[in-house]
Amino acid sequence: MYDAIVIGAGPAGLQAALTLGRMHRSTLLLDSGEYRNGTVLHMHNMVGADGAPPAEFRATARAELSAYDDVEIRDSAATSVSGVEDAFVVGIADGSVVEARRVIIATGVSDDLPDVPGLQDLWGTLAFSCPFCDGHEHAGKPIAIIGAAPRAEHLIGLLGRIVGEITVLPVAELFADDDIRMLEAKGVRVSPAPVSSVEKVDHGVRIRTDDGERVVAGVFVAAGSMRQRSPFAAQLGLGMLESGCIEIDEFGRTSVQGIFAAGDLAHRATLPGPMASVLLAAAAGQLAAVGIIQSLLAAEH
């Protein structure tokens, strides 16, 4: 019986395990080997590690965890979570079953991209969603924004002072006339035809439409959606928010006693959505671990 099982070994799960280990709480960290930024070459906007490869960050964190006898790491995915506080049961892909008093779900989310041929192949290297993470690397360079007009307007506001020329392209349906006027008023080009495909070329990305093609340094996606990477929120009946994320409080507590959540898959109701950031995910993991320690202390006294 572990004090805590942490499911997911991205920044949130790694930090949660470190905090629990430092407080000598028996902890099992389950690492499926799948990460939202698994295709990303360099992470940014992370003080002390700006530009570091995510794989290097994870390897360093795991090496640090090896110094804590109370932390065990298994390279296997969790498949199920059931039970109640002080008696949770977690099924693992290798067929084994483990038990814990508390559980942190830190499995992150998956990004569902618009149906544009070639876009998935560029995701994380030449196609992005976060200006805070990847905008600076395109300073002064031409870029394209693919997707819906309202979200494109938001990206233009963030990227306009950083990048060079911006071209906005619809995915399937053409932009309405009002949307075109609104976008052009921002000083950007608006494609009259939807994007038909994207591909990597020597100097960036070739974007094809029915009426021609253009090459840009990178693509930012203003369409698509995200979803829970794991089935645990549904299995446990956790309270959810309109964003599709698990609802938590300041210490990562969910609607089910003893179940905590941290990272991109969860946020407080006071926020419009998850704050997708390595630094904030790690901070959320630390807070969830502190929440677990508080909960265990209350139960023990």
Side-chain angles (χ1 to χ4, degrees):
M1 174 70 73
Y2 294 94
D3 285 327
I5 294 176
V6 181
I7 305 175
L14 291 164
Q15 180 61 56
L18 177 61
T19 301
L20 290 162
R22 289 189 58 79
M23 296 308 294
H24 291 208
R25 291 292 183 175
S26 58
T27 302
L28 174 62
L29 175 64
L30 295 174
D31 187 350
S32 69
E34 297 181 357
Y35 319 100
R36 186 182 189 185
N37 65 355
T39 61
V40 174
L41 300 179
H42 304 281
M43 63 186 190
H44 296 106
N45 201 25
M46 174 70 177
V47 64
D50 189 40
E56 181 181 291
F57 172 85
R58 291 190 294 268
T60 299
R62 285 183 58 138
E64 291 171 350
L65 287 173
S66 68
Y68 295 89
D69 294 337
D70 289 296
V71 178
E72 176 187 347
I73 302 176
R74 293 193 198 180
D75 291 311
S76 190
T79 56
S80 63
V81 181
S82 59
V84 296
E85 188 176 53
D86 289 322
F88 290 112
V89 178
V90 177
I92 302 180
D94 61 11
S96 62
V97 173
V98 287
E99 299 179 58
R101 299 173 65 189
R102 306 289 185 271
V103 172
I104 296 179
I105 301 172
T107 45
V109 295
S110 293
D111 294 291
D112 292 326
L113 301 179
D115 187 17
V116 175
L119 186 59
Q120 187 67 58
D121 295 334
L122 304 183
W123 190 240
T125 56
L126 288 167
F128 317 95
S129 63
C130 175
F132 293 95
C133 305
D134 300 289
H136 171 75
E137 284 62 44
H138 295 83
K141 301 175 183 178
I143 67 156
I145 296 174
I146 296 175
R151 170 66 176 159
E153 182 183 16
H154 178 65
L155 290 178
I156 292 166
L158 291 170
L159 292 167
R161 63 185 299 116
I162 300 172
V163 303
E165 183 181 67
I166 298 176
T167 303
V168 183
L169 302 98
V171 174
E173 299 180 3
L174 299 179
F175 290 133
D177 289 342
D178 287 347
D179 288 335
I180 293 175
R181 286 191 288 270
M182 177 271 292
L183 293 170
E184 289 181 338
K186 303 290 183 183
V188 304
R189 298 175 57 189
V190 180
S191 170
V195 58
S196 56
S197 68
V198 295
E199 65 175 337
K200 178 180 179 180
V201 293
D202 288 343
H203 301 293
V205 180
R206 176 180 288 119
I207 301 175
R208 289 192 172 92
T209 62
D210 290 343
D211 65 346
E213 62 181 50
R214 58 182 53 81
V215 174
V216 296
V219 171
F220 285 79
V221 179
S225 60
M226 66 179 187
R227 55 184 166 80
Q228 294 285 315
R229 182 181 292 276
S230 69
F232 309 131
Q235 287 178 359
L236 294 163
L238 301 182
M240 304 296 289
L241 296 164
E242 289 186 10
S243 63
C245 293
I246 300 167
E247 182 174 5
I248 56 172
D249 70 3
E250 291 82 355
F251 286 97
R253 302 180 187 95
T254 71
S255 60
V256 172
Q257 196 84 1
I259 298 289
F260 295 70
D264 293 354
L265 83 172
H267 63 88
R268 289 180 288 164
T270 52
L271 296 173
M275 303 293 284
S277 156
V278 173
L279 183 61
L280 291 174
Q286 185 175 71
L287 285 170
V290 170
I292 281 184
I293 292 164
Q294 290 174 333
S295 173
L296 292 171
L297 284 174
E300 292 163 356
H301 291 86

